[in-house]
């Protein structure tokens, strides 16, 4: 609700369209796959747009939707900061729903930004440094946060073992009742 989001009509790989979008000062760009094209064509279009965006503003954080596994590496090479593979993620949700009925509704509830609970990364507070997961959990629970995993050096460990030690520089992946922390 506090972010400024703009939608611009035009060919998104043309400089003039990107200038209308004020791309040179954009903090983030979300590039979705064109649903009117084949998967491969949509991925090629997404990567072309990504190259145009990064060419005009290399510091823009770019999140792209890629439909085929074959083009994930190409999107990384083109400068994508995050890649969302919607088809793969949908498959995971469907498989989990087969194994645990009702799972899709629960996952969608967790992902809903208008819900009261949110997925967040939070920093390690100085007083938490050196604690094990077992020792950290009561602190998080008192703040209405549930630990899901820990990220360090672009690697995420989901459900870390109880004896895992928390150190500075790591980010905690939590579900939080408060989206501001």
């Amino acid at each position: 609700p506090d972010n400024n989001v703009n939608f611009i009509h035009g060919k998104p790989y043309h400089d003039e369209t990107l200038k209308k979008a004020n791309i040179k000062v954009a903090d983030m760009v979300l590039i979705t796959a064109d649903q009117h094209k084949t998967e491969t064509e949509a991925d090629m279009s997404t990567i072309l747009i990504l190259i145009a965006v990064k060419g005009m503003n290399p510091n823009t954080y770019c999140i792209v939707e890629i439909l085929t596994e074959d083009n994930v590496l190409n999107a990384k090479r083109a400068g994508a900061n995050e890649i969302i593979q919607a088809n793969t993620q949908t498959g995971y949700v469907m498989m989990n729903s087969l194994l645990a009925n009702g799972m899709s509704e629960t996952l969608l509830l967790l992902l809903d930004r208008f819900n009261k609970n949110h997925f967040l990364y939070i920093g390690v507070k100085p007083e938490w440094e050196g604690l094990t997961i077992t020792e950290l959990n009561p602190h998080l629970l008192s703040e209405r946060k549930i630990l899901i995993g820990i990220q360090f050096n672009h690697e995420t460990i989901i459900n870390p073992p109880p004896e895992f030690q928390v150190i500075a520089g790591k980010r905690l992946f939590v579900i939080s009742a408060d989206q501001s922390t």
Side-chain angles (χ1 to χ4, degrees):
D2 297 332
N3 295 323
N4 187 13
V5 177
N6 294 307
F7 292 93
I8 305 296
H9 293 281
K11 294 180 180 173
Y13 47 84
H14 283 166
D15 286 359
E16 290 308 312
T17 305
L18 293 173
K19 286 177 187 173
K20 285 183 199 174
N22 212 8
I23 202 69
K24 290 186 179 186
V25 296
D27 293 323
M28 288 191 266
V29 173
L30 176 64
I31 304 170
T32 59
D34 187 338
Q35 303 300 314
H36 302 291
K37 296 181 178 180
T38 67
E39 288 180 343
T40 301
E41 290 171 340
D43 284 353
M44 289 189 300
S45 178
T46 296
I47 292 168
L48 178 61
I49 296 164
L50 174 63
I51 291 168
V53 168
K54 287 290 190 175
M56 292 184 77
N57 184 350
N59 297 320
T60 302
Y61 192 90
C62 293
I63 304 164
V64 299
E65 179 184 18
I66 294 294
L67 301 178
T68 63
E69 180 69 32
D70 293 345
N71 282 309
V72 170
L73 182 57
N74 289 327
K76 286 179 184 177
R77 287 179 183 144
N81 299 95
E82 284 188 50
I83 299 169
I84 297 171
Q85 291 182 262
N87 292 346
T88 302
Q89 292 165 347
T90 300
Y92 292 153
V93 171
M94 292 173 75
M95 183 57 71
N96 276 292
S97 292
L98 285 173
L99 299 172
N101 299 129
M103 184 62 66
S104 64
E105 292 173 17
T106 302
L107 289 172
L108 290 173
L109 185 63
L110 282 172
L111 295 172
D112 183 356
R113 287 299 295 167
F114 298 107
N115 183 348
K116 292 180 183 175
N117 295 298
H118 307 277
F119 284 120
L120 295 174
Y121 279 112
I122 61 172
V124 173
K125 293 181 180 180
E127 61 266 27
W128 296 344
E129 290 180 32
L131 297 180
T132 65
I133 296 302
T134 301
E135 296 165 333
L136 173 65
N137 274 326
H139 297 280
L140 292 173
L141 290 172
S142 71
E143 296 181 8
R144 297 202 53 217
K145 293 177 174 64
I146 299 170
L147 181 70
I148 303 296
I150 294 182
Q151 185 184 57
F152 187 70
N153 290 337
H154 303 291
E155 180 185 342
T156 302
I157 300 169
I158 300 296
N159 194 17
E163 67 279 359
F164 191 92
Q165 194 170 35
V166 178
I167 60 172
K170 293 185 177 183
R171 295 193 313 165
L172 308 177
F173 179 45
V174 300
I175 297 174
S176 176
D178 180 7
Q179 69 182 23
S180 63
T181 60

